[in-house]
Amino acid sequence: MPSQNKDDGGWKSFVWNSEKKEFLGRTGSSWSKIFLFYLIFYGCLAGIFIGTIQVLLLTLNDYKPTWQDRVAPPGLSHFPRSDKNELIFNSDDVESYLKYTKVMKDFLGPYDLENQKDQMKFEDCGDQPQTYKNRGDFESDVGVRKACQFSKALLGPCSGIDDRDFGFSEGKPCLIVKLNRIVNFRPKPPMSNETIPEEAQHKVQSHLIPIHCTNKKEEDAGKLGEVKYYGIGEGFPLHYYPYYGKLLHPQYLQPLVAIQFVNITVNTDIRVECKVYGDNIYTNEKDRYQGRFDIKLGVHKS
């Protein structure tokens, strides 16, 4: 018992020693010096950190990325999309393709011409491919840039205007394709036909990025059937570029291309590959969407 009382007293004495006026073994003066030291130490660290961030921010432009060397331009996206990169449905079963048509309707909502009537934000740039539409420097004080109109009516039977099923109910499905946005990127049309498949060489124009789809596997040759393309020049016209970013180009609409498979072999799953061709557009088999995409397409009937 005496030993226990002695230990208890030692512990209590360590927490607060009333004789020496010490808390946890230190006097108030000692604690004040330690507190002041760490206050100055961590204050200096915080100042160095904040100063470094402020200097870094001074080198950045609010409207244009300082470095884009790690961006592999550009990605090619399609709608509708699925997690497994498959588009398989039964044309006689509405439920099997309803989720696809809903995605396409939602995506094309901003492309309704009724939403592009504000002349302060949009302008009619014509329906023929033209050269780049320069709208000033990124550092200029012009303010928000206008965007070229793009009506979904340009997508023909894949617009959803006359056929709200986008061809799925007839076994002639559509895909809506776009090039992903990259600030200040100017796609360059192919200078020759050397890198373009023979069946797509007629699409080469001076102000257009062509796109072409074909079967990815040799055993599917002849099963894909006729493929139709809709949009301005059946490709991506240059006058929609460059893109000035969200701050300067908030209402920007990318040009679209609609692809329709009008007589694909039914009850067969086919791997389809679509590519865009340009002098500064590159493909990579390891990157599913870099300048290309492939999708398993299957049209089934009961």
Side-chain angles (χ1 to χ4, degrees), residues 111-268:
Y111 288 87
D112 191 324
L113 204 56
E114 291 296 320
N115 298 325
Q116 305 174 41
K117 287 187 174 181
D118 190 341
Q119 295 184 358
M120 298 298 293
K121 298 180 179 179
F122 296 96
E123 64 176 311
D124 184 359
C125 299
D127 57 1
Q128 295 298 320
Q130 303 172 36
T131 189
Y132 308 110
K133 196 81 172 179
N134 292 312
R135 302 178 186 277
D137 297 329
F138 285 85
E139 294 80 8
S140 67
D141 57 357
V142 176
V144 174
R145 310 306 199 263
K146 288 186 178 182
C148 287
Q149 294 176 335
F150 191 99
S151 172
K152 63 182 182 181
L154 295 167
L155 304 179
C158 296
S159 64
I161 298 175
D162 297 324
D163 181 6
R164 298 187 63 80
D165 290 330
F166 298 92
F168 282 82
S169 61
E170 299 178 359
K172 303 177 180 180
C174 293
L175 290 178
I176 307 298
V177 183
K178 67 180 180 68
L179 281 172
N180 292 342
R181 301 176 182 183
I182 297 179
V183 176
N184 201 33
F185 176 67
R186 290 171 168 81
K188 298 178 181 179
M191 300 300 294
S192 67
N193 291 336
E194 296 178 0
T195 59
I196 302 178
E198 183 177 352
E199 58 270 24
Q201 291 180 359
H202 68 281
K203 297 182 178 181
V204 175
Q205 301 181 38
S206 57
H207 302 313
L208 189 78
I209 302 298
I211 182 171
H212 180 67
C213 299
T214 186
N215 53 281
K216 186 173 178 63
K217 298 181 178 179
E218 293 183 4
E219 58 263 31
D220 291 332
K223 297 180 182 179
L224 190 59
E226 183 182 6
V227 181
K228 291 187 176 181
Y229 305 84
Y230 301 95
I232 297 178
E234 301 180 6
F236 301 99
L238 300 187
H239 63 271
Y240 283 85
Y241 301 92
Y243 167 54
Y244 282 79
K246 290 183 178 180
L247 291 179
L248 294 178
H249 233 165
Q251 66 284 333
Y252 174 78
L253 294 175
Q254 293 144 284
L256 305 177
V257 175
I259 302 169
Q260 186 174 32
F261 306 92
V262 295
N263 58 350
I264 190 172
T265 302
V266 299
N267 299 323
T268 302

Side-chain angles (χ1 to χ4, degrees), residues 2-53:
S3 177
Q4 184 178 359
N5 291 336
K6 183 178 180 180
D7 291 341
D8 289 343
W11 178 81
K12 292 179 180 179
S13 177
F14 173 73
V15 174
W16 171 247
N17 189 323
S18 59
E19 295 180 2
K20 297 181 179 181
K21 306 298 181 181
E22 292 178 347
F23 177 69
L24 296 179
R26 292 183 180 276
T27 64
S29 174
S30 177
W31 278 116
S32 299
K33 292 176 181 178
I34 290 176
F35 177 76
L36 180 62
F37 169 79
Y38 281 107
L39 180 64
I40 296 174
F41 177 72
Y42 285 111
C44 291
L45 288 181
I48 293 173
F49 176 76
I50 294 173
T52 302
I53 296 299

